Amino acid sequence: MKDIVKFLLFIIYATAIFFLPNCLFILLFFMINLLIIILAKLNLKKAITNTLKILPFILFTFIINIFLDSFTNAFWIGIKLIIVCNSTFIYSQTTTVARTC
C-alpha cells in the first residue's frame, strides 16, 4: 500500500511541475530532488550520469520548442524535463518491481 501511495505522489509531483508557471519557483523542485537524493542516500554521480544520458533528447525537445514557441518557453520546458527525468530516476532507485507485487 505504501508503494501505491508513493507512486501516486510521484505522478502528482511530476505533473505539477509542468502545470506551474515559468518562474524561479520551479527551481525549488530541483532543490527538492537534490534533498531527496541526499536523504535517500542515492549515488549523486549516478543521478548526474543518468541525466546526462537523457540530455540529447531534452536538447532536441528544446530546439523544437524554440521553433514552435519562444526561447524563454523552450528554456523552461527543458528545465522542467530535466527535473522530471531526475525525479523519475529517484523513484526508480527507491522502488523496485519486487516491492510493488
Coordinates of all heavy atoms in Angstrom, one line a residue:
M1 N 0.8 -1.2 0.0 CA 0.0 0.0 0.0 C 0.9 1.3 0.0 O 0.6 2.2 -0.6 CB -0.9 -0.1 1.2 CG -1.9 1.1 1.3 SD -3.1 0.9 0.0 CE -4.2 2.2 0.3
K2 N 2.0 1.2 0.7 CA 2.9 2.3 0.8 C 3.5 2.7 -0.6 O 3.6 3.8 -0.9 CB 4.0 2.0 1.8 CG 5.0 3.1 2.0 CD 6.0 2.7 3.1 CE 7.3 2.4 2.4 NZ 8.4 2.1 3.3
D3 N 3.8 1.6 -1.4 CA 4.3 1.9 -2.7 C 3.3 2.5 -3.6 O 3.7 3.3 -4.5 CB 4.9 0.6 -3.3 CG 6.2 0.2 -2.6 OD1 6.9 1.1 -2.1 OD2 6.4 -1.0 -2.5
I4 N 2.0 2.2 -3.5 CA 1.0 2.7 -4.3 C 0.9 4.2 -4.0 O 0.7 5.1 -4.9 CB -0.4 2.0 -4.1 CG1 -0.2 0.6 -4.6 CG2 -1.5 2.7 -4.8 CD1 -1.4 -0.3 -4.3
V5 N 0.9 4.6 -2.7 CA 0.9 6.0 -2.3 C 2.1 6.7 -2.9 O 2.0 7.8 -3.4 CB 0.7 6.1 -0.8 CG1 0.9 7.6 -0.3 CG2 -0.6 5.5 -0.3
K6 N 3.2 6.1 -2.8 CA 4.5 6.7 -3.3 C 4.4 6.9 -4.8 O 4.8 7.9 -5.3 CB 5.6 5.7 -3.0 CG 7.0 6.2 -3.2 CD 7.9 5.1 -2.8 CE 9.3 5.5 -2.9 NZ 10.2 4.4 -2.5
F7 N 3.8 5.9 -5.5 CA 3.6 6.1 -7.0 C 2.7 7.2 -7.3 O 2.9 8.0 -8.2 CB 3.1 4.8 -7.6 CG 2.8 4.9 -9.0 CD1 3.8 5.0 -10.0 CD2 1.5 4.9 -9.5 CE1 3.5 5.1 -11.3 CE2 1.2 5.0 -10.8 CZ 2.2 5.1 -11.7
L8 N 1.6 7.3 -6.6 CA 0.6 8.4 -6.8 C 1.2 9.8 -6.5 O 1.0 10.7 -7.2 CB -0.7 8.2 -6.0 CG -1.5 7.0 -6.5 CD1 -2.7 6.8 -5.5 CD2 -2.0 7.2 -7.9
L9 N 2.0 9.8 -5.4 CA 2.7 11.1 -5.1 C 3.7 11.5 -6.2 O 3.8 12.6 -6.6 CB 3.3 11.0 -3.8 CG 2.4 11.0 -2.6 CD1 3.2 10.8 -1.3 CD2 1.6 12.3 -2.5
F10 N 4.4 10.5 -6.7 CA 5.3 10.7 -7.8 C 4.6 11.3 -9.1 O 5.0 12.2 -9.7 CB 6.1 9.4 -8.2 CG 6.8 9.5 -9.5 CD1 7.9 10.3 -9.7 CD2 6.3 8.8 -10.6 CE1 8.6 10.4 -10.9 CE2 6.9 8.9 -11.8 CZ 8.1 9.6 -12.0
I11 N 3.5 10.7 -9.4 CA 2.7 11.1 -10.6 C 2.2 12.6 -10.4 O 2.3 13.4 -11.3 CB 1.5 10.2 -10.9 CG1 2.0 8.8 -11.3 CG2 0.6 10.7 -11.9 CD1 2.8 8.8 -12.6
I12 N 1.7 12.9 -9.2 CA 1.2 14.2 -8.9 C 2.4 15.2 -8.9 O 2.3 16.3 -9.5 CB 0.5 14.2 -7.5 CG1 -0.8 13.4 -7.6 CG2 0.3 15.6 -7.0 CD1 -1.4 13.2 -6.3
Y13 N 3.5 14.8 -8.4 CA 4.7 15.7 -8.3 C 5.2 16.0 -9.8 O 5.5 17.1 -10.1 CB 5.8 15.0 -7.5 CG 7.1 15.7 -7.4 CD1 7.3 16.7 -6.6 CD2 8.2 15.3 -8.2 CE1 8.5 17.4 -6.5 CE2 9.5 15.9 -8.1 CZ 9.6 17.0 -7.2 OH 10.8 17.6 -7.1
A14 N 5.3 14.9 -10.6 CA 5.8 15.1 -12.0 C 4.8 16.0 -12.8 O 5.2 16.8 -13.6 CB 6.0 13.8 -12.6
T15 N 3.5 15.8 -12.6 CA 2.5 16.5 -13.3 C 2.5 18.0 -12.9 O 2.4 18.9 -13.7 CB 1.1 15.9 -13.1 OG1 1.2 14.5 -13.5 CG2 0.1 16.6 -14.0
A16 N 2.6 18.2 -11.6 CA 2.6 19.5 -11.0 C 3.7 20.4 -11.6 O 3.6 21.6 -11.8 CB 2.6 19.5 -9.5
I17 N 4.8 19.8 -11.8 CA 6.0 20.5 -12.4 C 5.6 21.2 -13.7 O 6.0 22.4 -13.9 CB 7.2 19.6 -12.5 CG1 7.8 19.2 -11.1 CG2 8.3 20.3 -13.3 CD1 8.8 18.2 -11.1
F18 N 4.9 20.5 -14.5 CA 4.5 21.1 -15.8 C 3.4 22.1 -15.8 O 3.2 22.9 -16.7 CB 4.2 20.0 -16.8 CG 5.5 19.3 -17.3 CD1 5.8 18.0 -16.8 CD2 6.3 19.9 -18.2 CE1 6.9 17.4 -17.2 CE2 7.5 19.2 -18.6 CZ 7.8 18.0 -18.1
F19 N 2.6 22.1 -14.7 CA 1.5 23.0 -14.6 C 1.9 24.3 -13.9 O 1.1 25.2 -13.9 CB 0.3 22.3 -13.9 CG -0.5 21.4 -14.9 CD1 -0.4 20.1 -14.7 CD2 -1.2 22.0 -15.9 CE1 -1.1 19.2 -15.6 CE2 -1.9 21.1 -16.8 CZ -1.8 19.8 -16.6
L20 N 3.0 24.3 -13.2 CA 3.4 25.5 -12.5 C 3.9 26.6 -13.5 O 4.4 26.3 -14.6 CB 4.5 25.2 -11.5 CG 4.1 24.4 -10.3 CD1 5.3 24.0 -9.5 CD2 3.1 25.2 -9.5
P21 N 3.7 27.8 -13.1 CA 4.2 28.9 -14.0 C 5.7 28.9 -14.2 O 6.4 28.4 -13.3 CB 3.7 30.2 -13.3 CG 3.5 29.8 -11.9 CD 3.2 28.3 -11.9
N22 N 6.2 29.5 -15.3 CA 7.6 29.5 -15.6 C 8.2 30.7 -14.8 O 8.2 31.8 -15.2 CB 7.8 29.8 -17.1 CG 7.3 28.7 -17.9 OD1 7.2 27.5 -17.4 ND2 7.0 28.9 -19.1
C23 N 8.8 30.3 -13.6 CA 9.5 31.3 -12.8 C 10.6 30.6 -12.0 O 10.7 29.3 -12.1 CB 8.5 32.0 -11.9 SG 7.7 30.9 -10.7
L24 N 11.3 31.3 -11.2 CA 12.3 30.7 -10.4 C 11.8 29.7 -9.4 O 12.5 28.9 -8.8 CB 13.2 31.8 -9.8 CG 14.0 32.6 -10.8 CD1 14.8 33.7 -10.1 CD2 14.9 31.7 -11.6
F25 N 10.5 29.8 -9.1 CA 9.9 28.9 -8.2 C 10.0 27.4 -8.6 O 10.2 26.5 -7.7 CB 8.4 29.2 -8.0 CG 7.6 28.3 -7.1 CD1 7.8 28.4 -5.7 CD2 6.7 27.4 -7.6 CE1 7.1 27.6 -4.9 CE2 6.0 26.6 -6.8 CZ 6.2 26.7 -5.4
I26 N 10.1 27.2 -9.9 CA 10.3 25.8 -10.4 C 11.6 25.3 -10.0 O 11.8 24.0 -9.8 CB 10.1 25.8 -11.9 CG1 9.7 24.4 -12.4 CG2 11.3 26.3 -12.7 CD1 8.4 23.9 -12.1
L27 N 12.6 26.1 -9.8 CA 13.9 25.6 -9.3 C 13.9 25.1 -7.9 O 14.8 24.3 -7.5 CB 14.9 26.7 -9.4 CG 15.2 27.2 -10.9 CD1 16.2 28.4 -10.9 CD2 15.6 26.1 -11.8
L28 N 12.8 25.4 -7.2 CA 12.6 24.8 -5.9 C 12.5 23.3 -6.0 O 13.0 22.5 -5.1 CB 11.4 25.4 -5.2 CG 11.0 24.8 -3.8 CD1 12.0 25.1 -2.8 CD2 9.6 25.3 -3.4
F29 N 11.8 22.8 -7.1 CA 11.7 21.4 -7.3 C 13.1 20.7 -7.5 O 13.3 19.6 -7.1 CB 10.8 21.1 -8.5 CG 9.3 21.3 -8.1 CD1 8.7 22.5 -8.5 CD2 8.6 20.3 -7.5 CE1 7.4 22.7 -8.1 CE2 7.3 20.5 -7.1 CZ 6.7 21.7 -7.5
F30 N 14.0 21.4 -8.2 CA 15.3 20.9 -8.3 C 16.0 20.7 -7.0 O 16.6 19.7 -6.7 CB 16.2 21.9 -9.2 CG 17.6 21.4 -9.4 CD1 17.9 20.4 -10.2 CD2 18.6 22.0 -8.7 CE1 19.2 20.0 -10.4 CE2 19.9 21.6 -8.8 CZ 20.2 20.6 -9.6
M31 N 15.8 21.7 -6.1 CA 16.4 21.6 -4.8 C 15.7 20.4 -4.0 O 16.4 19.7 -3.2 CB 16.2 22.9 -4.0 CG 16.9 24.1 -4.7 SD 18.7 23.7 -5.0 CE 19.3 24.2 -3.5
I32 N 14.4 20.2 -4.2 CA 13.7 19.1 -3.5 C 14.3 17.8 -4.0 O 14.6 16.9 -3.2 CB 12.2 19.2 -3.8 CG1 11.6 20.4 -3.0 CG2 11.5 17.9 -3.3 CD1 10.2 20.7 -3.3
N33 N 14.5 17.7 -5.3 CA 15.1 16.4 -5.8 C 16.5 16.2 -5.2 O 16.8 15.1 -4.9 CB 15.2 16.5 -7.4 CG 13.9 16.3 -8.1 OD1 12.9 16.0 -7.4 ND2 13.9 16.4 -9.4
L34 N 17.3 17.2 -5.2 CA 18.6 17.1 -4.6 C 18.6 16.7 -3.1 O 19.3 15.8 -2.7 CB 19.4 18.4 -4.7 CG 20.9 18.4 -4.4 CD1 21.6 17.5 -5.3 CD2 21.5 19.8 -4.5
L35 N 17.6 17.2 -2.4 CA 17.5 16.9 -1.0 C 17.0 15.4 -0.8 O 17.5 14.7 0.0 CB 16.4 17.8 -0.3 CG 16.2 17.6 1.2 CD1 17.4 17.9 2.0 CD2 15.0 18.4 1.6
I36 N 16.1 15.0 -1.7 CA 15.7 13.6 -1.7 C 16.9 12.6 -2.0 O 17.0 11.6 -1.4 CB 14.5 13.4 -2.6 CG1 13.3 14.1 -2.1 CG2 14.2 11.9 -2.8 CD1 12.1 14.1 -3.1
I37 N 17.7 13.0 -3.0 CA 18.8 12.2 -3.3 C 19.8 12.0 -2.1 O 20.2 11.0 -1.8 CB 19.6 12.8 -4.5 CG1 18.8 12.6 -5.8 CG2 21.0 12.2 -4.6 CD1 19.4 13.3 -7.0
I38 N 20.0 13.1 -1.4 CA 20.8 13.1 -0.2 C 20.2 12.3 0.9 O 20.9 11.5 1.6 CB 21.2 14.5 0.3 CG1 22.1 15.2 -0.8 CG2 21.9 14.5 1.6 CD1 22.2 16.7 -0.6
L39 N 18.9 12.5 1.2 CA 18.2 11.8 2.3 C 18.1 10.3 2.0 O 18.2 9.5 2.9 CB 16.9 12.5 2.6 CG 16.9 13.9 3.2 CD1 15.5 14.4 3.3 CD2 17.6 13.9 4.5
A40 N 17.9 10.0 0.8 CA 17.7 8.6 0.4 C 19.1 7.9 0.2 O 19.1 6.7 -0.1 CB 16.9 8.4 -0.9
K41 N 20.1 8.6 0.3 CA 21.5 8.1 0.2 C 21.7 7.5 -1.2 O 22.3 6.4 -1.3 CB 21.8 7.2 1.3 CG 21.8 7.8 2.7 CD 22.1 6.9 3.8 CE 22.0 7.6 5.1 NZ 22.1 6.7 6.2
L42 N 21.2 8.2 -2.2 CA 21.4 7.7 -3.6 C 22.8 8.2 -4.1 O 23.3 9.2 -3.6 CB 20.3 8.1 -4.5 CG 18.9 7.6 -4.1 CD1 17.9 8.2 -5.1 CD2 18.9 6.1 -4.2
N43 N 23.3 7.6 -5.1 CA 24.6 8.0 -5.6 C 24.4 9.2 -6.5 O 23.7 9.1 -7.6 CB 25.2 6.8 -6.5 CG 26.6 7.1 -6.9 OD1 27.1 8.2 -6.8 ND2 27.2 6.0 -7.4
L44 N 24.9 10.3 -6.1 CA 24.7 11.6 -6.8 C 25.4 11.5 -8.2 O 24.9 12.0 -9.2 CB 25.3 12.8 -6.0 CG 25.1 14.1 -6.6 CD1 23.6 14.5 -6.7 CD2 25.8 15.2 -5.7
K45 N 26.5 10.9 -8.3 CA 27.2 10.7 -9.6 C 26.4 9.9 -10.5 O 26.3 10.3 -11.7 CB 28.6 10.0 -9.4 CG 29.4 9.9 -10.6 CD 30.8 9.3 -10.3 CE 31.5 9.2 -11.6 NZ 32.8 8.5 -11.4
K46 N 25.7 8.9 -10.1 CA 24.8 8.1 -10.9 C 23.6 8.9 -11.4 O 23.2 8.8 -12.5 CB 24.4 6.8 -10.2 CG 23.7 5.8 -11.0 CD 23.4 4.6 -10.2 CE 22.7 3.5 -11.0 NZ 22.4 2.3 -10.3
A47 N 23.1 9.8 -10.5 CA 22.0 10.6 -10.9 C 22.4 11.6 -12.0 O 21.6 11.8 -12.9 CB 21.5 11.3 -9.6
I48 N 23.6 12.2 -11.8 CA 24.0 13.1 -12.8 C 24.3 12.4 -14.2 O 24.0 12.9 -15.2 CB 25.3 13.9 -12.3 CG1 24.9 14.8 -11.2 CG2 26.0 14.6 -13.4 CD1 26.1 15.4 -10.4
T49 N 24.9 11.2 -14.1 CA 25.2 10.4 -15.3 C 23.9 10.1 -16.0 O 23.8 10.2 -17.2 CB 26.0 9.2 -14.9 OG1 27.2 9.5 -14.2 CG2 26.3 8.4 -16.2
N50 N 22.9 9.7 -15.3 CA 21.6 9.3 -15.8 C 21.0 10.5 -16.5 O 20.4 10.4 -17.6 CB 20.7 8.8 -14.8 CG 19.4 8.3 -15.3 OD1 19.3 7.6 -16.3 ND2 18.3 8.7 -14.7
T51 N 21.1 11.7 -15.9 CA 20.5 12.9 -16.5 C 21.3 13.3 -17.8 O 20.7 13.7 -18.8 CB 20.6 14.1 -15.5 OG1 19.9 13.7 -14.3 CG2 20.0 15.3 -16.1
L52 N 22.6 13.1 -17.8 CA 23.4 13.4 -19.0 C 23.1 12.5 -20.1 O 23.2 12.9 -21.3 CB 24.9 13.4 -18.6 CG 25.4 14.5 -17.7 CD1 26.9 14.3 -17.4 CD2 25.2 15.8 -18.4
K53 N 22.7 11.2 -19.8 CA 22.3 10.3 -20.9 C 21.1 10.7 -21.6 O 20.9 10.5 -22.8 CB 22.1 8.9 -20.3 CG 23.4 8.2 -19.9 CD 23.1 6.8 -19.3 CE 24.4 6.2 -18.8 NZ 24.1 4.9 -18.2
I54 N 20.2 11.4 -20.8 CA 18.9 11.8 -21.4 C 19.0 13.2 -22.0 O 18.1 13.6 -22.8 CB 17.8 11.8 -20.3 CG1 17.7 10.3 -19.8 CG2 16.5 12.3 -20.7 CD1 16.8 10.2 -18.5
L55 N 20.1 13.9 -21.7 CA 20.2 15.3 -22.2 C 20.1 15.5 -23.7 O 19.5 16.5 -24.1 CB 21.6 15.8 -21.7 CG 21.7 17.3 -21.7 CD1 20.6 18.0 -20.8 CD2 23.1 17.7 -21.2
P56 N 20.6 14.6 -24.6 CA 20.3 14.8 -26.0 C 18.9 14.9 -26.4 O 18.5 15.7 -27.2 CB 21.0 13.6 -26.7 CG 22.0 13.1 -25.7 CD 21.5 13.5 -24.3
F57 N 18.0 14.1 -25.8 CA 16.6 14.1 -26.0 C 16.0 15.4 -25.5 O 15.1 16.0 -26.1 CB 15.9 12.9 -25.4 CG 16.4 11.6 -25.9 CD1 17.2 10.8 -25.2 CD2 16.1 11.2 -27.2 CE1 17.7 9.6 -25.7 CE2 16.6 10.0 -27.7 CZ 17.4 9.2 -26.9
I58 N 16.4 15.9 -24.4 CA 15.9 17.1 -23.8 C 16.4 18.3 -24.7 O 15.6 19.2 -25.0 CB 16.4 17.3 -22.4 CG1 15.8 16.2 -21.5 CG2 16.1 18.7 -21.8 CD1 16.3 16.2 -20.1
L59 N 17.6 18.3 -25.2 CA 18.1 19.3 -26.1 C 17.3 19.3 -27.4 O 17.0 20.4 -28.0 CB 19.6 19.1 -26.4 CG 20.5 19.5 -25.2 CD1 21.9 19.2 -25.6 CD2 20.4 21.0 -24.9
F60 N 17.0 18.1 -27.9 CA 16.2 18.0 -29.1 C 14.8 18.7 -28.9 O 14.3 19.4 -29.7 CB 16.0 16.5 -29.5 CG 15.1 16.3 -30.7 CD1 15.5 16.7 -32.0 CD2 13.8 15.8 -30.5 CE1 14.7 16.5 -33.1 CE2 13.0 15.6 -31.6 CZ 13.4 16.0 -32.9
T61 N 14.2 18.4 -27.8 CA 12.9 19.0 -27.4 C 13.0 20.5 -27.3 O 12.1 21.2 -27.7 CB 12.3 18.3 -26.1 OG1 12.3 16.9 -26.3 CG2 11.0 18.9 -25.8
F62 N 14.1 20.9 -26.7 CA 14.4 22.3 -26.5 C 14.4 23.0 -27.9 O 13.8 24.1 -28.1 CB 15.7 22.5 -25.7 CG 16.2 23.9 -25.7 CD1 15.6 24.9 -24.9 CD2 17.3 24.3 -26.4 CE1 16.1 26.1 -24.8 CE2 17.8 25.6 -26.4 CZ 17.2 26.5 -25.6
I63 N 15.2 22.4 -28.8 CA 15.3 23.1 -30.1 C 14.0 23.1 -30.9 O 13.7 24.1 -31.5 CB 16.4 22.3 -31.0 CG1 17.8 22.5 -30.3 CG2 16.4 22.7 -32.4 CD1 18.9 21.6 -30.8
I64 N 13.2 22.0 -30.8 CA 11.9 22.0 -31.5 C 11.0 23.1 -30.8 O 10.3 23.8 -31.6 CB 11.3 20.6 -31.3 CG1 12.1 19.6 -32.1 CG2 9.8 20.6 -31.8 CD1 12.1 19.8 -33.6
N65 N 11.1 23.2 -29.5 CA 10.2 24.2 -28.9 C 10.7 25.7 -29.2 O 9.9 26.6 -29.2 CB 10.2 24.0 -27.3 CG 9.3 22.9 -27.0 OD1 8.1 22.9 -27.4 ND2 9.7 22.0 -26.1
I66 N 11.9 25.9 -29.5 CA 12.4 27.2 -29.9 C 11.7 27.6 -31.2 O 11.2 28.7 -31.4 CB 13.9 27.3 -30.1 CG1 14.6 27.2 -28.7 CG2 14.3 28.5 -30.9 CD1 16.1 27.2 -28.8
F67 N 11.6 26.6 -32.1 CA 10.9 26.9 -33.4 C 9.4 27.0 -33.3 O 8.8 27.8 -34.0 CB 11.3 25.8 -34.4 CG 12.7 25.8 -34.9 CD1 13.5 24.7 -34.7 CD2 13.2 26.9 -35.5 CE1 14.8 24.7 -35.1 CE2 14.6 26.9 -36.0 CZ 15.4 25.8 -35.7
L68 N 8.8 26.3 -32.4 CA 7.4 26.3 -32.2 C 6.9 27.4 -31.3 O 5.7 27.9 -31.5 CB 6.9 25.0 -31.7 CG 7.1 23.8 -32.6 CD1 6.7 22.5 -31.9 CD2 6.4 24.0 -33.9
D69 N 7.7 27.9 -30.4 CA 7.3 28.9 -29.4 C 8.4 29.9 -29.3 O 8.7 30.6 -30.3 CB 7.0 28.2 -28.1 CG 6.1 29.1 -27.2 OD1 5.7 30.1 -27.6 OD2 5.8 28.6 -26.1
S70 N 8.9 30.2 -28.2 CA 9.9 31.1 -28.0 C 11.1 30.5 -27.2 O 11.0 29.4 -26.6 CB 9.4 32.3 -27.2 OG 9.1 32.0 -25.9
F71 N 12.2 31.2 -27.2 CA 13.4 30.7 -26.5 C 13.1 30.6 -25.0 O 13.5 29.6 -24.3 CB 14.6 31.6 -26.7 CG 15.8 31.2 -25.9 CD1 16.6 30.2 -26.4 CD2 16.1 31.8 -24.7 CE1 17.7 29.8 -25.7 CE2 17.2 31.4 -24.0 CZ 18.0 30.3 -24.5
T72 N 12.4 31.6 -24.4 CA 12.1 31.5 -23.0 C 11.3 30.3 -22.6 O 11.6 29.6 -21.6 CB 11.4 32.8 -22.6 OG1 12.2 33.9 -23.0 CG2 11.2 32.9 -21.1
N73 N 10.2 30.1 -23.3 CA 9.3 28.9 -23.0 C 10.1 27.6 -23.3 O 9.9 26.7 -22.5 CB 8.0 29.0 -23.8 CG 7.1 30.0 -23.3 OD1 7.2 30.4 -22.1 ND2 6.2 30.5 -24.1
A74 N 10.9 27.6 -24.3 CA 11.7 26.4 -24.6 C 12.6 26.1 -23.4 O 12.9 24.9 -23.0 CB 12.4 26.5 -25.9
F75 N 13.3 27.2 -22.9 CA 14.2 27.0 -21.8 C 13.5 26.4 -20.6 O 14.0 25.5 -20.0 CB 14.8 28.4 -21.5 CG 15.6 28.4 -20.2 CD1 16.9 27.9 -20.2 CD2 15.1 28.9 -19.0 CE1 17.6 27.9 -19.0 CE2 15.8 28.9 -17.9 CZ 17.1 28.4 -17.9
W76 N 12.3 27.0 -20.2 CA 11.6 26.5 -19.1 C 11.1 25.0 -19.3 O 11.1 24.2 -18.3 CB 10.5 27.4 -18.7 CG 11.0 28.6 -18.1 CD1 11.0 29.9 -18.6 CD2 11.6 28.8 -16.8 NE1 11.5 30.8 -17.7 CE2 11.9 30.1 -16.6 CE3 11.9 27.9 -15.8 CZ2 12.5 30.6 -15.4 CZ3 12.5 28.3 -14.6 CH2 12.8 29.7 -14.5
I77 N 10.7 24.7 -20.5 CA 10.3 23.3 -20.7 C 11.5 22.4 -20.6 O 11.4 21.3 -20.0 CB 9.6 23.2 -22.1 CG1 8.2 23.9 -22.1 CG2 9.5 21.7 -22.5 CD1 7.6 24.0 -23.4
G78 N 12.6 22.8 -21.0 CA 13.8 22.0 -20.9 C 14.2 21.8 -19.4 O 14.5 20.7 -19.0
I79 N 14.1 22.9 -18.6 CA 14.4 22.7 -17.2 C 13.4 21.8 -16.5 O 13.8 20.9 -15.7 CB 14.3 24.2 -16.5 CG1 15.4 25.1 -17.0 CG2 14.4 24.0 -15.0 CD1 16.8 24.6 -16.7
K80 N 12.1 21.9 -16.9 CA 11.1 21.0 -16.3 C 11.4 19.6 -16.7 O 11.2 18.7 -15.9 CB 9.7 21.5 -16.7 CG 9.3 22.8 -16.1 CD 7.9 23.3 -16.7 CE 7.5 24.6 -16.0 NZ 6.2 25.0 -16.5
L81 N 11.8 19.3 -17.9 CA 12.1 18.0 -18.3 C 13.2 17.4 -17.6 O 13.2 16.2 -17.2 CB 12.4 17.9 -19.8 CG 11.2 18.0 -20.8 CD1 11.6 18.1 -22.2 CD2 10.3 16.8 -20.6
I82 N 14.3 18.2 -17.3 CA 15.4 17.7 -16.5 C 15.0 17.4 -15.1 O 15.4 16.3 -14.6 CB 16.5 18.8 -16.5 CG1 17.2 18.9 -17.9 CG2 17.6 18.5 -15.4 CD1 18.1 20.1 -18.0
I83 N 14.1 18.2 -14.5 CA 13.7 17.9 -13.1 C 12.8 16.7 -13.1 O 13.0 15.8 -12.2 CB 12.9 19.1 -12.6 CG1 13.8 20.3 -12.4 CG2 12.2 18.8 -11.3 CD1 13.1 21.6 -12.1
V84 N 11.9 16.5 -14.1 CA 11.1 15.3 -14.1 C 11.9 14.0 -14.4 O 11.7 13.0 -13.7 CB 9.9 15.5 -15.1 CG1 9.2 14.1 -15.4 CG2 8.9 16.5 -14.7
C85 N 12.9 14.1 -15.3 CA 13.7 13.0 -15.5 C 14.5 12.6 -14.3 O 14.7 11.4 -14.0 CB 14.7 13.2 -16.7 SG 13.8 13.3 -18.3
N86 N 15.0 13.6 -13.5 CA 15.7 13.4 -12.3 C 14.8 12.7 -11.3 O 15.2 11.8 -10.5 CB 16.3 14.6 -11.8 CG 17.3 14.4 -10.7 OD1 16.9 14.5 -9.5 ND2 18.5 14.1 -11.0
S87 N 13.6 13.2 -11.1 CA 12.7 12.6 -10.2 C 12.3 11.2 -10.6 O 12.0 10.4 -9.7 CB 11.4 13.5 -10.0 OG 10.7 13.6 -11.2
T88 N 12.2 10.9 -11.9 CA 12.0 9.6 -12.3 C 13.1 8.7 -11.9 O 12.9 7.5 -11.5 CB 11.8 9.5 -13.8 OG1 10.7 10.4 -14.2 CG2 11.4 8.1 -14.3
F89 N 14.3 9.2 -12.0 CA 15.5 8.4 -11.6 C 15.4 8.1 -10.1 O 15.6 7.0 -9.6 CB 16.8 9.1 -11.9 CG 18.0 8.5 -11.2 CD1 18.6 7.4 -11.8 CD2 18.5 9.1 -10.1 CE1 19.7 6.8 -11.2 CE2 19.6 8.5 -9.5 CZ 20.2 7.4 -10.0
I90 N 15.0 9.1 -9.3 CA 14.9 8.9 -7.9 C 13.8 7.8 -7.6 O 14.1 6.9 -6.7 CB 14.6 10.2 -7.2 CG1 15.7 11.2 -7.3 CG2 14.2 10.0 -5.7 CD1 15.4 12.6 -6.9
Y91 N 12.7 8.0 -8.2 CA 11.6 7.0 -8.0 C 12.1 5.6 -8.4 O 11.8 4.6 -7.7 CB 10.4 7.4 -8.8 CG 9.3 6.4 -8.6 CD1 8.5 6.4 -7.5 CD2 9.0 5.5 -9.6 CE1 7.5 5.4 -7.3 CE2 8.0 4.6 -9.5 CZ 7.2 4.5 -8.3 OH 6.2 3.6 -8.1
S92 N 12.8 5.4 -9.5 CA 13.2 4.1 -10.0 C 14.3 3.5 -9.0 O 14.4 2.3 -8.9 CB 13.8 4.2 -11.4 OG 15.0 4.9 -11.4
Q93 N 15.1 4.3 -8.4 CA 16.1 3.8 -7.5 C 15.5 3.5 -6.1 O 16.1 2.7 -5.4 CB 17.2 4.9 -7.3 CG 18.0 5.1 -8.6 CD 18.7 3.8 -9.0 OE1 19.5 3.2 -8.2 NE2 18.5 3.4 -10.2
T94 N 14.4 4.1 -5.7 CA 13.8 3.8 -4.4 C 12.7 2.8 -4.4 O 12.2 2.4 -3.4 CB 13.4 5.2 -3.8 OG1 12.4 5.8 -4.6 CG2 14.5 6.1 -3.5
T95 N 12.3 2.4 -5.6 CA 11.2 1.5 -5.7 C 11.6 0.4 -6.7 O 12.1 0.7 -7.8 CB 9.9 2.1 -6.2 OG1 9.6 3.2 -5.4 CG2 8.7 1.1 -6.3
T96 N 11.4 -0.9 -6.3 CA 11.7 -2.0 -7.2 C 10.4 -2.7 -7.6 O 9.4 -2.6 -6.9 CB 12.7 -3.0 -6.6 OG1 12.1 -3.5 -5.4 CG2 14.0 -2.3 -6.2
V97 N 10.5 -3.5 -8.6 CA 9.3 -4.3 -9.0 C 8.9 -5.3 -7.9 O 7.7 -5.5 -7.7 CB 9.6 -5.1 -10.3 CG1 8.5 -6.0 -10.7 CG2 10.0 -4.1 -11.4
A98 N 9.9 -5.8 -7.2 CA 9.5 -6.8 -6.2 C 8.8 -6.2 -5.0 O 7.9 -6.8 -4.4 CB 10.8 -7.4 -5.6
R99 N 9.0 -4.9 -4.8 CA 8.2 -4.2 -3.7 C 6.8 -3.9 -4.1 O 5.9 -3.9 -3.2 CB 8.9 -2.9 -3.4 CG 10.2 -2.9 -2.7 CD 10.6 -1.6 -2.3 NE 12.0 -1.5 -1.9 CZ 12.6 -0.4 -1.6 NH1 12.0 0.8 -1.8 NH2 13.9 -0.5 -1.2
T100 N 6.5 -3.7 -5.4 CA 5.2 -3.4 -5.7 C 4.2 -4.6 -5.9 O 3.0 -4.4 -6.0 CB 5.2 -2.6 -7.1 OG1 5.8 -3.4 -8.1 CG2 5.9 -1.3 -6.9
C101 N 4.8 -5.8 -5.9 CA 3.9 -7.0 -6.1 C 3.4 -7.5 -4.7 O 3.9 -7.2 -3.7 CB 4.8 -8.1 -6.7 SG 5.3 -7.8 -8.3

